[in-house]
Amino acid sequence: MSVPLTELSAGAAFAGHAARIREHIVAMCSGPEGGHLGGSMSLVEILTALYFGVLRVDPAAPADPDRDVFLLSKGHGAIALYATLAERGFLDPAELAGFGTWGSRLMAHPVRAVPGVELPTGSLGHGLALGAGFALAARLDGRPGRAYVVMGDGELQEGSVWESAMGAAAQRLDNLVAVVDRNGLQISGRTEDVCALEPLAQRWRTFGWSVREAPGHDLDALVGALGSTPWEPGRPSLLLADTTKGAGLPFVAGAVHSHFATLSVRQLARARAALAAGTGGGGRD
Amino acid sequence: MTDLRRATRVAYRDRIAEVLARDPRTVCVDTDTGLFQGVDFGAAAHRYVNVGIAEHNAMGLAAGLAAGGFTPFVHTFATFAAMRAAEAVKIDIAYNALPVRIAATHSGLSAGHFGPTHHALEDLAVMRCLPNMTVVVPADAAGTEALLEQTLGLPGPLYLRLGRKPTPPLPAGAAPPRLGFAQVLRTGPDVLLVACGPHPVHAALGAAELLAADGIRAGVLNMHTVKPLDVPALLAHSAGRALVVTVEEHWRAGGLGGAVAEALAESGPVRVLRLGVDDTFASVVGDHDALARHYGIDPASVAGRIRSALSVGPPVIEEELHHGHRLSRM
Ligand SMILES: Cc1ncc(C[n+]2csc(CCOP(=O)(O)OP(=O)(O)O)c2C)c(N)n1
Ligand SMILES: [Mg+2]
């Protein structure tokens, strides 16, 4: 079990995966029950970087005790996770077509029945404590495993996040890595208008974390940062990933209403065309 | 044919701006639900407070507002109200008997394929065991409007259980629901069905219709007020019946079935069959209708369970048989 090595840059090597994950996401949002489109699209490069460039995981040995553990604390991004797990070989991509429908095992929040999903999430503010627990278990057992937790920025308004933040720093869990999908939006508006988070990097630092920021749709930057933890021995690491909600789809990118969508046949065709043309970019730039 | 289906949460939402405009002592506390997107609170806009994704804070804030003389309406999903924010609901709201209105959407199985993190199958048990709490479960949009209006003057806290997607209206002809009194939807001398919420009440009515074809005459009570329970109506309508059947979108423990069984256990020998969601976290995936059917909350399943209960005699303890979750009784 090792990180795939490549002569290419992460961006060049993994861009195809990210593109296919985006295609899967829009397809899943065109099912009868729709899907969490915006927050899934903003996750694509973060998940691609983790699953192809950082995490020591093996679809053939999903329960390897020495594996790294990933938790999608913003569980409503499940379709991005399922698409990534399919792309990484944990499940058959054909299964994605059944998302949310009778007979499928793919719920709109991650379920343990899906290979590669460690623990169910979906109620915001749970993942960081779970990750800290995995990190502590690895340390107690002397195992090399690291825990990676991805949270939404709106999710940070949950008080439980800050209990976990304080606790993980107090335990000096430097095998714990958190990523914030900083897309600036939540369901009802901009995070800064609803309940302001800034100065966010400073807040995490004062809670005892080692903090970095990265453009959240730049695979090279993400792999570089997430692949080099701990940045400071004895401290958990937090990456603020500057992302765009709905990234890749020019007609919803950066829009509050991208949060949840049931794409019509026409909208799906339009989304696919935009993805093929790359007009929505990986993000803003 | 026009679609008369309407979501109880939308019926509620459409009334609340008016409530805020009418009463300057009311406050709308939101937790990033999105329920109020596009709602114009007009001159009351400063009394709309969105605290973000922070349900415990919302409940505590509401308690403080209520102690300070306001009547707050707090909005979150049912499971987050009952579990995430439970201690603030218990200590800060119920203990102090403060007039906080908790409007809880996505109740029961209405979150569908969102899965167990979003299903609320414990909220009635949690809320109805709290002293001072009034617990109301409207069965349709019109009932939501009627009951909301009647709860406005309650001196203590209210838990109002709402759904997500549109559901059909109750059949025309029934008198509007009155807070604290069971709504009699059908009478029958053989069996009494007691239900709350859109899918269960429709399942009960449909089952009564199916049973009528077999010569079994069933009555149906819409028990929209789960607490305080209308025990006099329950006793009157269950007297002499072979069976009382509860139907609800809740785990079978502790909800409406629990309330009805508790009340009847103290008053007389009548068998109670509690229908609801199995003692399990849903592992099947589907929309609200599919999940309700899967757990037997539909006319045919309810009628079938009643037929076999009437013909087979005393029931086994279903939860244990279903899941092999046997406890040693030695
Ligand atoms: C405890 C809890 N409260 C509320 C919700 C409902 N909810 C789902 S997503 C969401 C907004 C999340 O915003 P953010 O974390 O910024 O995610 P993103 O923008 O990446 O979609 C909310 C309020 C929830 N899932 N869990
Ligand atoms: Mg966000």
Side-chain angles (χ1 to χ4, degrees):
Chain A
M1 206 161 62
S2 64
V3 176
L5 291 174
T6 170
E7 298 298 307
L8 296 170
S9 75
F14 309 143
H17 296 304
R20 278 189 295 279
I21 291 166
R22 284 213 157 75
E23 288 164 18
H24 287 312
I25 291 170
V26 296
M28 282 186 269
C29 288
S30 71
E33 293 294 302
H36 289 97
L37 178 64
S40 296
M41 295 299 257
S42 68
L43 277 173
V44 171
E45 281 73 22
I46 295 169
L47 292 181
T48 303
L50 282 169
Y51 273 89
F52 291 92
V54 178
L55 290 175
R56 293 181 298 223
V57 291
D58 181 358
D64 184 330
D66 287 345
R67 73 189 182 283
D68 290 335
V69 158
F70 175 77
L71 293 158
L72 185 61
S73 190
K74 47 166 280 189
H76 60 283
I79 55 178
L81 178 60
Y82 298 152
T84 306
L85 290 171
E87 189 65 18
R88 184 71 173 80
F90 281 88
L91 67 156
D92 181 354
E95 191 178 335
L96 301 176
F99 167 70
T101 63
W102 192 253
S104 168
R105 52 183 174 175
L106 305 180
M107 296 182 185
H109 297 92
V111 265
R112 272 181 114 179
V114 178
V117 173
E118 300 280 356
L119 292 174
T121 47
S123 176
L124 296 167
H126 286 241
L128 196 55
L130 298 172
F134 270 114
L136 185 57
R139 188 170 75 190
L140 291 172
D141 271 344
R143 288 187 270 110
R146 305 162 297 181
Y148 294 79
V149 179
V150 174
M151 294 177 285
D153 48 3
E155 178 178 6
L156 303 182
Q157 291 160 352
E158 287 286 0
S160 58
V161 170
W162 300 96
E163 291 183 20
S164 306
M166 223 181 309
Q171 296 290 334
R172 304 178 57 81
L173 293 173
D174 63 6
N175 56 345
L176 175 64
V177 181
V179 181
V180 174
D181 181 352
R182 183 71 171 116
N183 58 31
L185 297 174
Q186 53 190 111
I187 291 181
S188 52
R190 287 164 18 93
T191 58
E192 298 317 285
D193 295 336
V194 174
C195 182
L197 302 169
E198 295 296 342
L200 195 51
Q202 194 181 324
R203 284 185 175 179
W204 281 94
R205 279 194 191 101
T206 59
F207 270 68
W209 287 60
S210 186
V211 179
R212 290 197 187 175
E213 301 181 46
H217 299 293
D218 179 332
L219 288 166
D220 290 319
L222 290 167
V223 171
L226 294 169
S228 59
T229 59
W231 302 318
E232 294 174 68
R235 288 186 193 276
S237 310
L238 181 106
L239 186 70
L240 282 177
D242 181 13
T243 55
T244 301
K245 204 156 175 170
L249 301 174
F251 49 98
V252 293
V256 181
H257 69 261
S258 74
H259 184 77
F260 192 90
T262 307
L263 298 177
S264 66
V265 175
R266 260 190 54 215
Q267 288 168 321
L268 176 63
R270 218 174 127 207
R272 284 181 165 149
L275 292 179
T279 44
R284 272 172 294 232
D285 24 354
Chain B
M1 222 176 85
T2 49
D3 187 358
L4 297 175
R5 299 181 325 144
R6 231 175 134 218
T8 56
R9 69 165 170 160
V10 171
Y12 167 87
R13 197 259 330 263
D14 289 350
R15 272 296 163 89
I16 207 68
E18 188 189 312
V19 169
L20 249 71
R22 209 163 56 193
D23 182 352
R25 304 303 294 172
T26 54
V27 180
C28 179
V29 179
D30 194 6
T31 56
D32 193 36
T33 59
L35 184 62
F36 299 100
Q37 294 303 89
V39 173
D40 182 6
F41 287 102
H46 63 293
R47 282 182 281 119
Y48 169 80
V49 182
N50 187 357
V51 300
I53 311 169
E55 293 79 9
H56 190 279
N57 181 42
M59 294 297 176
L61 181 88
L65 275 165
F70 285 89
T71 302
F73 291 75
V74 190
H75 303 87
T76 179
F77 293 9
T79 193
F80 305 143
M83 310 277 2
R84 188 50 165 271
E87 201 178 81
V89 174
K90 174 192 163 189
I91 295 176
D92 304 324
I93 296 173
Y95 185 17
N96 297 313
L98 290 166
V100 174
R101 283 71 174 100
I102 301 168
T105 64
H106 296 66
S107 69
L109 297 165
S110 67
H113 77 310
F114 280 24
T117 56
H118 283 59
H119 295 158
L121 301 169
E122 70 289 320
D123 58 327
L124 293 178
V126 170
M127 292 297 171
R128 81 174 186 85
C129 79
L130 297 176
N132 301 322
M133 188 65 75
T134 296
V135 179
V136 172
V137 188
D140 68 354
T144 304
E145 290 165 351
L147 290 163
L148 172 63
E149 194 65 33
Q150 295 169 52
T151 55
L152 293 178
L154 276 180
L158 166 74
Y159 181 71
L160 182 66
R161 192 188 208 226
L162 303 169
R164 179 178 177 228
K165 288 195 174 179
T167 48
L170 293 187
R178 278 201 303 145
L179 183 69
F181 296 94
Q183 185 185 27
V184 183
L185 295 178
R186 183 178 178 122
T187 54
D190 300 329
V191 170
L192 174 67
L193 285 140
V194 185
C196 66
H199 280 69
V201 170
H202 283 281
L205 284 169
E209 201 60 43
L210 293 171
L211 293 169
D214 301 346
I216 301 170
R217 296 158 301 172
V220 178
L221 297 183
N222 170 16
M223 199 61 90
H224 49 75
T225 307
V226 171
K227 184 179 188 174
L229 191 69
D230 186 358
V231 177
L234 193 58
L235 293 179
H237 288 266
S238 62
R241 306 313 193 263
L243 191 65
V244 171
V245 184
T246 60
V247 192
E248 65 191 309
E249 234 177 273
H250 192 275
W251 277 315
R252 272 199 291 273
L256 175 67
V260 167
E262 287 160 17
L264 292 178
E266 294 183 353
S267 65
V270 59
R271 257 177 80 196
V272 179
L273 178 65
R274 292 169 299 119
L275 302 183
V277 178
D278 291 341
D279 184 24
T280 179
F281 290 96
S283 58
V284 293
V285 180
D287 64 17
H288 188 184
D289 292 346
L291 292 178
R293 249 192 327 275
H294 178 74
Y295 289 110
I297 306 166
D298 64 276
S301 305
V302 171
R305 295 293 302 274
I306 292 172
R307 275 189 211 104
S308 52
L310 289 175
S311 60
V312 178
V316 286
I317 300 172
E318 288 148 38
E319 283 89 338
E320 298 184 13
L321 284 189
H322 266 258
H323 305 292
H325 188 98
R326 260 173 228 276
L327 297 175
S328 164
R329 300 248 182 249
M330 301 299 140

